Amino acid sequence: MAIEQTLILIKPDGAFRKLTGLTIDRLDATGLEMVGAKMIVVTDKLARDHYSSLSDKPFFEDLIKYIRGGYHGISDSRILALVYRGENAIKAVRAVAGATNPEAAAPGTIRGSFGRMNSVTKQFENVIHASSDPTDAAKEVALWFKKEELIP
Ligand code: IDP
Ligand code: MG
């Protein structure tokens, strides 16, 4: 069993709809350890670096607007970034996060319980980001956190 770290972001819809505490409750229920937490302004550069692998997708510009709070009336949105650590942390957090499309996410998952398809903006509002594999997790943790901001 590998000890992994994974990055979680409470996206602007989660903060706007006051789902932060409920989301952390689900994350803590995994038994993993929270080793990093901070509020951070999502600059245009940070958003584009974070989602660089999706830059060729048709929804990319909408995604940048969404993660920066543009669909929730927030400019220079601050979001809560978290790092959880433990055995198979990446898969464990993805499992409680649920499927990307909130309408397809299983009941009881974070996205299945709290996510929604916004009927006005047509955006997936899926509450959290969670790293998808060890390569992405390493890149994302390093992008959002300095080493000294994590519990050793
Ligand atoms: P993930 O967040 O479950 O890892 P990714 O495929 O990495 O899913 O996509 C990143 C984010 O981009 C999603 O969480 C969602 O906000 C958005 N997204 C992904 N696919 C679509 C789509 O088909 N339409 C609209 N937004 C999408
Ligand atoms: Mg992803």
Side-chain angles (χ1 to χ4, degrees), residues 14-64:
F16 180 76
R17 294 174 60 211
K18 309 300 179 196
L19 296 167
T20 302
L22 290 166
T23 300
I24 290 176
D25 196 48
R26 302 291 180 91
L27 294 169
D28 280 345
T30 61
L32 298 165
E33 188 186 4
M34 189 195 294
V35 296
K38 67 174 174 180
M39 296 297 296
I40 181 167
V41 173
V42 187
T43 61
D44 184 69
K45 182 177 186 322
L46 179 57
R48 288 174 193 278
D49 286 349
H50 177 73
Y51 282 127
S52 59
S53 66
L54 298 176
S55 61
D56 59 344
K57 299 285 187 205
F59 55 82
F60 182 69
E61 291 302 325
D62 286 336
L63 178 57
I64 298 303

Side-chain angles (χ1 to χ4, degrees), residues 51 54 94 129-132 136 140:
Y51 282 127
L54 298 176
R94 291 288 293 192
H129 168 82
S131 304
S132 59
D136 277 2
E140 291 171 2

Side-chain angles (χ1 to χ4, degrees), residues 116-144:
R116 67 181 180 187
M117 179 78 185
N118 188 304
S119 64
V120 176
T121 66
K122 307 294 179 202
Q123 295 301 298
F124 287 178
E125 292 189 345
N126 59 10
V127 186
I128 67 165
H129 168 82
S131 304
S132 59
D133 57 61
T135 307
D136 277 2
K139 180 202 129 181
E140 291 171 2
V141 170
L143 181 63
W144 290 80

